[in-house]
């Protein structure tokens, strides 16, 4: 118990004193995850709109595929990407393995299915009359789509928040394709695993506290978005 208290005290000191190594790790995590989300949102939104508003052969198969891929373990995604990016793999010439871009790709692959599934659910719940009304008032397809997104804005934001929370907390893909290289690809989750194995708990606890605070903030945001969404529906 005394060791836990001492490690927690040391962890708080690391956070408060803005330890450069600690905050460098935090910076890598946020930089990689934000980049992955930035690249994932446009295609996921396009696919979700297509699934929500168009009828075509194989539509339900694509929806089922997105729902299934949400459950794929992160380490499996990392393994597949490792095999593709390794020197003997088909994409080995890109020399991306054990780099931050490889980590971005891994998190992008993890974010896409979750975004598609949640965005599809949000957009499908929008009243079809929102699209029809916009079109009747002379709005082009782009303007009508924007109106549709406006109606589903709380669900869209909830999908983005939930997806960001998933990818920043994943460890399997990050360690497989990032390699946990100090000052380069070491992020929050891989650093926690390493420090725990080394028996040096202070930095691991400090990074764990960062994830806990982030989880709390994301859950508060999700709660606020759900509340606003319900108020909008009731009104």
């Amino acid at each position: 118990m005394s060791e836990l208290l001492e490690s927690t005290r040391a962890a708080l000191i690391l956070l408060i004193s803005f330890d450069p190594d600690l905050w460098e790790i935090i910076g890598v995590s946020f930089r990689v995850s934000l980049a992955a989300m930035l690249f994932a949102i446009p295609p996921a939104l396009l696919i979700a709109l297509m699934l929500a508003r168009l009828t075509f052969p194989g539509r339900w198969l694509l929806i089922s595929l997105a729902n299934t891929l949400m459950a794929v373990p992160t380490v499996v995604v990392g393994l597949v990407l490792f095999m593709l990016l390794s020197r003997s793999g088909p994409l080995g010439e890109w020399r991306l393995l054990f780099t931050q871009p490889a980590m971005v790709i891994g998190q992008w692959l993890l974010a896409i299915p979750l975004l598609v599934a949640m965005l599809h659910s949000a957009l499908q719940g929008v009243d079809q009359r929102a699209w029809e009304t916009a079109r009747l008032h002379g709005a082009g397809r782009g303007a009508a789509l924007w109106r549709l997104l406006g109606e589903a804005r709380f669900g869209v934001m909830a999908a983005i928040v939930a997806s960001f929370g998933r990818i920043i907390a994943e460890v399997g893909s990050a360690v497989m394709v990032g390699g946990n290289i100090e000052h380069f690809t070491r992020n929050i989750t891989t650093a926690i695993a390493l420090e725990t194995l080394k028996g040096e708990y202070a930095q691991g606890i400090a990074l764990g506290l960062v994830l806990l605070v982030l989880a709390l903030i994301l859950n508060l945001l999700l709660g606020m978005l759900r509340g606003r969404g319900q108020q909008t529906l009731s009104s």
Side-chain angles (χ1 to χ4, degrees):
M1 188 66 180
S2 60
E3 183 181 5
L4 177 59
L5 291 174
E6 181 60 30
S7 297
T8 303
R9 187 184 69 83
L12 292 173
I13 291 173
L14 286 174
L15 286 168
I16 296 171
S17 64
F18 290 94
D19 178 76
D21 291 336
L22 181 75
W23 286 94
E24 180 185 53
I25 291 168
I26 295 170
V28 169
S29 278
F30 277 86
R31 185 162 56 249
V32 168
S33 297
L34 287 172
M37 288 301 299
L38 183 65
F39 291 121
I41 290 171
L45 189 55
L46 184 62
I47 295 170
L49 280 168
M50 180 181 67
L51 294 175
R53 292 296 149 190
L54 299 179
T55 301
F56 54 89
R59 174 174 173 267
W60 285 108
L61 179 61
L62 288 176
I63 294 172
S64 299
L65 181 62
N67 291 328
T68 301
L69 290 176
M70 285 195 300
V72 174
T74 61
V75 70
V76 174
V77 174
L79 173 62
V80 172
L81 197 55
F82 181 92
M83 295 173 66
L84 291 173
L85 296 178
S86 64
R87 288 188 177 182
S88 58
L91 304 179
E93 295 181 356
W94 294 3
R95 297 183 179 180
L96 289 177
L97 194 60
F98 304 140
T99 65
Q100 287 186 25
M103 296 169 68
V104 170
I105 295 171
Q107 292 192 4
W108 180 85
L109 291 172
L110 290 169
I112 286 286
L114 182 58
L115 279 171
V116 168
M118 293 188 69
L119 289 172
H120 168 256
S121 179
L123 292 168
Q124 199 172 38
V126 175
D127 194 332
Q128 178 66 26
R129 287 173 295 182
W131 169 272
E132 295 172 352
T133 301
R135 295 291 286 166
L136 285 173
H137 283 81
R141 289 185 179 273
L145 285 175
W146 187 253
R147 171 71 181 272
L148 201 65
L149 290 175
E151 292 290 327
R153 59 191 180 278
F154 299 116
V156 170
M157 290 303 299
I160 293 172
V161 170
S163 300
F164 180 76
R166 168 173 164 77
I167 64 173
I168 199 169
E170 71 86 17
V171 63
S173 174
V175 75
M176 291 287 290
V177 301
N180 199 19
I181 302 171
E182 189 175 10
H183 305 304
F184 189 43
T185 60
R186 183 166 297 169
N187 68 358
I188 292 175
T189 53
T190 59
I192 290 174
L194 177 67
E195 295 303 311
T196 301
L197 290 174
K198 289 165 58 180
E200 299 176 4
Y201 304 118
Q203 189 179 80
I205 291 174
L207 293 169
L209 289 172
V210 171
L211 283 181
L212 283 174
V213 171
L214 177 63
L216 176 62
I217 293 172
L218 292 178
N219 277 288
L220 288 174
L221 285 173
L222 282 173
M224 291 170 59
L225 291 170
R226 288 195 187 100
R228 290 182 181 179
Q230 290 172 358
Q231 289 176 6
T232 302
L233 288 173
S234 62
S235 61

